[in-house]
Amino acid sequence: MRRAIIAGNWKMHKTGPEAVQLAKELLNRVSDVSNIEIVVCPPFTALESVAWVLGEGPVKIGAQNMHWADEGAYTGEVAAKMLLTIGCRYVILGHSERRAHFGESNSIVNKKLKAALATSLVPIVCVGEKLGEREKGQTEAVVQGHVVGAFEGLSPADLQSVILAYEPVWAIGTGKTASPEQANEVHAFIRDLLKKSFGESLARDIRIQYGGSVKPENAASLLSQPEIDGALVGGASLDAESFSQIIKAVT
Ligand code: 13P
């Protein structure tokens, strides 16, 4: 049985004090939740202060990006060990906004994934097609390219801790959600692909989150799909009440 994981991607929202406030409000609402992995991913500037607020409680902390190098002359970038030393446990990699606005290719995502896996960070690797690609019937090809590209050169043993997030780009921030069946279909496709390339046990055990306009109103129907193991939530994670409602929709 795969453990459900609900993660909030705060993107470029919340100053330090605002992030601390949101983390406190969330903690108040989910202090009794124990069977679900809960993660929040604030911007870099708020990671340390939010980590202090969350402590050893039920909400864990992740970053939205990292660089692949251990350290070096990479102005403006952040390395895995910098994240780890301030309490980060997860890192989002290959988000479609990074692919679209910052030129992140599959090979960059692959380098970052390898760097994260060399540490104890748990990577959340995002994949998903654009609207035009779906309309042209290219969903599976695009998703396959993202998964194979990100996982290149890694073995099933390497990939054990990895989480995938299927985020159709056309559903992000648009209010348009993939229907539960549409999402489940792509998740099943990914699992089948992993089975062929990496074997049955990785395909069975890997967790695949859905992301794209997940809200309290649609969370239960998405999360009840057999192949959907959680959600990666953008907009609705910026409000403690709606994010906690999504978490509670798992049970
Ligand atoms: P929204 O939930 O705002 O559509 O964002 C989804 C997302 O990109 C999470 O990473």
Side-chain angles (χ1 to χ4, degrees), residues 196-211:
K196 288 180 195 135
S197 314
F198 296 94
E200 184 126 24
S201 90
L202 183 77
R204 185 192 57 226
D205 296 341
I206 199 166
R207 291 178 295 171
I208 310 177
Q209 298 175 298
Y210 168 78

Side-chain angles (χ1 to χ4, degrees), residues 7-11 92 95-97 126 165 167-169 171-176 210-215 231-238:
N9 175 6
W10 294 1
K11 306 192 180 181
I92 298 173
H95 191 280
S96 61
E97 287 151 14
C126 302
E167 297 205 305
V169 178
I172 295 179
T174 58
K176 265 190 232 163
Y210 168 78
S213 298
V214 177
K215 308 276 178 238
L232 183 54
V233 185
S237 71
L238 297 173

Side-chain angles (χ1 to χ4, degrees), residues 79-140:
K81 72 177 173 201
M82 298 171 183
L83 299 174
L84 282 163
T85 51
I86 56 167
C88 261
R89 294 287 160 264
Y90 298 77
V91 63
I92 298 173
L93 297 177
H95 191 280
S96 61
E97 287 151 14
R98 298 224 43 96
R99 294 179 192 259
H101 306 305
F102 305 100
E104 260 186 39
S105 60
N106 288 330
S107 79
I108 291 177
V109 178
N110 179 248
K111 285 210 260 189
K112 292 184 174 189
L113 178 59
K114 286 175 175 159
L117 289 174
T119 72
S120 57
L121 284 172
V122 175
I124 299 177
V125 177
C126 302
V127 303
E129 81 288 0
K130 301 190 195 100
L131 183 58
E133 292 164 340
R134 176 164 279 264
E135 285 171 350
K136 282 189 247 157
Q138 297 168 345
T139 298
E140 293 187 351

